[in-house]
Amino acid sequence: MNLSWLPPFRFLSLFALNLGFVLSVSAQTVLPVETQNNAMVLQVDAKKNLSMIYLGRKLEHSQEYTSIASQYKQSADYTGLLNSAYTPSGSRNLVEPAITVTHADGNNSLDLRYIRSSLKKLDEQVSLLTVVLKDKVYNFEVTLYYKSYFKEDVIEQWCTIRQQEKGNVTLHKFASANLHLRGGSYWLNQYHGDWAKEMQPEESRLTHGIKTLDSKLGTRANLFQPSVFMVSLNKPATEDEGEVLFGGLEWSGNFRTDLEIDNQDNLRIISGINNYASAYTLKPGEELRTPAFLYTLSTQGKGKASRNLQQWARNYKLLDGKGTRLTLLNNWEATYFDFNENKLAGLLKDTKKLGVDLFLLDDGWFGNKYPRNGDVAGLGDWQENKKKLPNGITSLVKEARENGVKFGIWIEPEMVNPKSELYDKHPDWVVKQPERDEYYFRNQLVLDLTNPKVQDFVFGIVDGLFTKNPELAYIKWDCNAVIYNAHSATLKDQSHFYVDYVQGLYKVLQRIRAKYPTVPMMLCSGGGGRIDYGALQYFTEFWPSDNTDPLERIFMQWEYSYFYPAIASSNHVTDWGKQPIKFRTDVAMMGKLGFDIVVSHLPESDLKFCQEAIQQYNAVKSIIWQGDQYRLANPRESVVASMLYLTEDKSTGVIFNYLVNYRYDENSKQPVLLKGLDAAKQYKITEINLYPGTKSTIDGAKQYTGDFLMKIGFNPDVNASRTSVVLKLEEVK
């Protein structure tokens, strides 16, 4: 490659960066973080201010990044900090800061300047840019980290904050990321919800001022407001068109994201741990590491951004993201709290009969002095209930093995009922204000995970189960309470509580994974209350919602899929909703399949369908879990919902189609346009997952080019008598 035409000094600076260090021999140093399609570009000026000068499509010639700023003729930046890469407060800044401090001498100002940077290639696809900033006067340092994933167009950003002053320094705000985007207008797609109605999308145009997305719940922090969001530039992005940024914080506690349009009409995004009631004190020599904020940018609409994140999650973040998953039968809706060994023995036989891999024993198996016969007592007392299970969990694990299936169990180890032996013995282990009345969420309180003794106790719950039952094959980890009256009996600085609680949780999960690295665990939190990549690195899957009505789940799973891959979504067939068993099963197959039904109550034809559907699912699940996902027909915009999962080589796919509007004579009147295919390939489409005794209306012998299917489309023939249609797409060679 001929590089002789490049300006020598600028080339030297950029080339040195790619070798892993920066050599600045001009007035400005440019630090580009490039992925396959995008670039996030930092610039150091002559006064050592670090700014973000660009976030967008990658330029062919990297030396041209220095010319970007001159093309904008906007109003004056009186501060010189509007596009700061990490905006400090208290000096000349006039907008929302990323960091606010009080120094050891009481000074509230901060002036961070560039010191050095380095770029390290972690492997062929992943690089880490490290940039050190330091206050001009105080011995106070912030190190910014930008971890880029080349193929997936994803960047993770976080920082460490360290001080070496002569006394304690208080952090009043300590964000993970500070982005700066330029556009004509900005459209925010955020989410809201509550129990059983998670992930409700809401899109609006951002106006001047600050829009804040946040949570102050402590645990199950995503209950009302998930931390994930989308921002479209210039116009609302569609599935396949428009420039859109997806973002989310990898943190399982209180979060805060500020979106501010400044006086230059640019958008600033600042995201991190919520500083609400969380001023954090650093002693000399101490440092705080913030959680990662992840983002991906797409210029081809929301579908491309979602495939970026899904691929990134499977490759790098989700536990065992490239592995397999267990299908299961859960006893919850079959028995609730009312069961014994005989009932469970029958359900274990049903597990084998149904054809799934594992039986999951849900809530209600523990507690003796305060039996867990409802949600008002027993939580925290993790001994088998002798009346229900006189021979303990061990006998059930053995029974499962003899039936040729695996055994899993439900726990909620972070919580406690006031009516429990644990509460009687250790009231100091409970999160509560000593001078306030206790206030309960679902008849329970939260254990204080800032306390190392409580961390040992929670780890011991899991470790004890596996020590006694080495063949235990699955954990469902629930978390149903939020934090009221936040206070720790042992924590010296109560303003550290919300941060230290989550760090304590992660310490427990790290210990569990160090000892039991491969055991599948479901992340459950009253449904979708704790779904984020901070937690999902320890879990193989998550529970989207306690609402398992399949019609509702189509909408929820649609929205979750923008940020999380199908292999991570636990979807169960239950008795919620009025749809037939086929509809319920088809919807649950769009992820990790499970059942929560009374198998013995199924009509013979329904049982036969389920058995055959599980076999069919096992044949195509790798396509669903690892394939590229294309949303074909949006249930909020059409009477039909349609979703395609397609293998990377574009040879095989599975298409799920549902009628979501049951008004008179509604059906798939028009063909559904397919996406992602090879235009030159020939395909055939056959219907699978048919109910026993029914025949398909689809001509499986007919062939189509990818070009035809993407331009004209294919009609799945969805109507009132065919409300759910699953199709298999195969290349004809």
Side-chain angles (χ1 to χ4, degrees), residues 276-288:
Y276 161 76
S278 295
Y280 209 89
T281 302
L282 292 181
K283 297 176 182 177
E286 287 186 340
E287 72 174 30
L288 175 68

Side-chain angles (χ1 to χ4, degrees), residues 705-726:
T705 63
D707 179 67
F708 178 91
L709 292 172
M710 291 189 290
K711 292 178 179 176
I712 303 301
F714 184 86
N715 198 314
D717 193 20
V718 172
N719 54 55
S721 62
R722 287 169 50 83
T723 57
S724 175
V725 176
V726 183

